[in-house]
Amino acid sequence: DTEVTQTPKHLVMGMTNKKSLKCEQHMGHRAMYWYKQKAKKPPELMFVYSYEKLSINESVPSRFSPECPNSSLLNLHLHALQPEDSALYLCASSQLNGINQPQHFGDGTRLSIL
Amino acid sequence: DQQVKQNSPSLSVQEGRISILNCDYTNSMFDYFLWYKKYPAEGPTFLISISSIKDKNEDGRFTVFLNKSAKHLSLHIVPSQPGDSAVYFCAASLIQGAQKLVFGQGTRLTINP
């Protein structure tokens, strides 16, 4: 069982829709991450939040808007997506105290853009 | 520019034998290396990691070796079990704390009975 919970597991949306992906963890981790993974490719980092503040944005298009309302929750708001945005979106979290703490991943949201 | 490379897309090993998965990296600034295992329809699961100040880390059946001069790390699984069949990703980190992980392309490991 994963300790990082992502909802929904699957999402199909049109290019004009607005939807949100949700991620939750209760491990007390203060860093949270969004990754995008295309088929047969490795995960690619999109955003990093440290202590609920955006610390890394990997030049992600503005149609993806992250939000970290508190230390346990991470959202990814989607608007006007393109068909090439269809992918598995993974959330992860990690400790920030101490060095070299592994990231723990959720099972992802599989997103399909029509 | 692929900074982390796993040159073997797939590997097939007999049950009970040793599985060796390899990973090369180009950025000498990486200071933390991890291996993740991924089953279909699940997220990556953390397996084992190693800091750049060490050359070996062992956890049960899993051992990771790091050769900094060659910019090479490997994951040894012994003995291999059918449940080890999955895709294995090597990852490297540039920043301590909130990590910017860079993943390799993955190696699909199949354990044959």
Side-chain angles (χ1 to χ4, degrees), chain B residues 36-90:
Chain B
Y36 284 86
K37 171 180 177 180
K38 189 177 186 303
Y39 293 119
E42 293 184 10
T45 300
F46 170 69
L47 269 179
I48 191 169
S49 64
I50 188 166
S51 164
S52 59
I53 62 172
K54 294 186 174 182
D55 55 16
K56 177 182 175 181
N57 188 26
E58 190 171 356
D59 184 2
R61 297 187 297 115
F62 303 92
T63 304
V64 57
F65 295 91
L66 176 62
N67 182 333
K68 283 183 64 179
S69 60
K71 296 192 179 66
H72 177 83
L73 66 156
S74 60
L75 174 68
H76 292 210
I77 306 173
V78 58
S80 300
Q81 299 174 353
D84 296 330
S85 296
V87 176
Y88 288 78
F89 288 99
C90 166

Side-chain angles (χ1 to χ4, degrees), chain A residues 35-44 82-90 110-111 113, chain B residues 38 89 105:
Chain A
Y35 288 84
K36 175 182 179 179
Q37 185 176 20
K38 301 282 277 185
K40 300 190 185 303
K41 296 288 187 183
E44 291 184 351
Q82 303 298 309
E84 61 265 27
D85 297 323
S86 297
L88 180 69
Y89 288 84
L90 292 162
R110 187 159 297 282
L111 177 65
I113 307 300
Chain B
K38 189 177 186 303
F89 288 99
Q105 298 291 314

Side-chain angles (χ1 to χ4, degrees), chain A residues 9 15 26 44 58 62 66 77-78 82 89 91 108:
Chain A
K9 292 193 181 302
M15 289 189 284
H26 294 288
E44 291 184 351
E58 289 290 279
S62 60
H77 303 297
L78 315 173
Q82 303 298 309
Y89 288 84
C91 173

Side-chain angles (χ1 to χ4, degrees), chain A:
Chain A
D1 286 341
T2 181
E3 296 180 84
V4 176
T5 305
Q6 291 188 243
T7 55
K9 292 193 181 302
H10 302 275
L11 179 62
V12 180
M13 57 187 287
M15 289 189 284
T16 58
N17 292 155
K18 286 186 182 181
K19 296 284 185 184
S20 297
L21 308 185
K22 182 179 175 180
C23 175
E24 192 167 4
Q25 58 88 14
H26 294 288
M27 295 179 282
H29 291 172
R30 301 305 299 273
M32 297 187 77
Y33 311 78
W34 280 116
Y35 288 84
K36 175 182 179 179
Q37 185 176 20
K38 301 282 277 185
K40 300 190 185 303
K41 296 288 187 183
E44 291 184 351
L45 184 66
M46 299 174 72
F47 302 103
V48 181
Y49 273 82
S50 304
Y51 299 108
E52 296 88 66
K53 294 192 187 307
L54 184 65
S55 57
I56 297 176
N57 177 342
E58 289 290 279
S59 303
V60 179
S62 60
R63 58 185 184 267
F64 295 91
S65 175
E67 178 197 21
C68 190
N70 60 55
S71 60
S72 300
L73 285 175
L74 185 66
N75 299 319
L76 186 62
H77 303 297
L78 315 173
H79 174 56
L81 294 195
Q82 303 298 309
E84 61 265 27
D85 297 323
S86 297
L88 180 69
Y89 288 84
L90 292 162
C91 173
S93 68
S94 71
Q95 299 272 18
L96 276 176
N97 56 321
I99 61 172
N100 297 336
Q101 299 286 348
Q103 292 181 27
H104 297 269
F105 285 81
D107 286 340
T109 294
R110 187 159 297 282
L111 177 65
S112 298
I113 307 300
L114 302 178

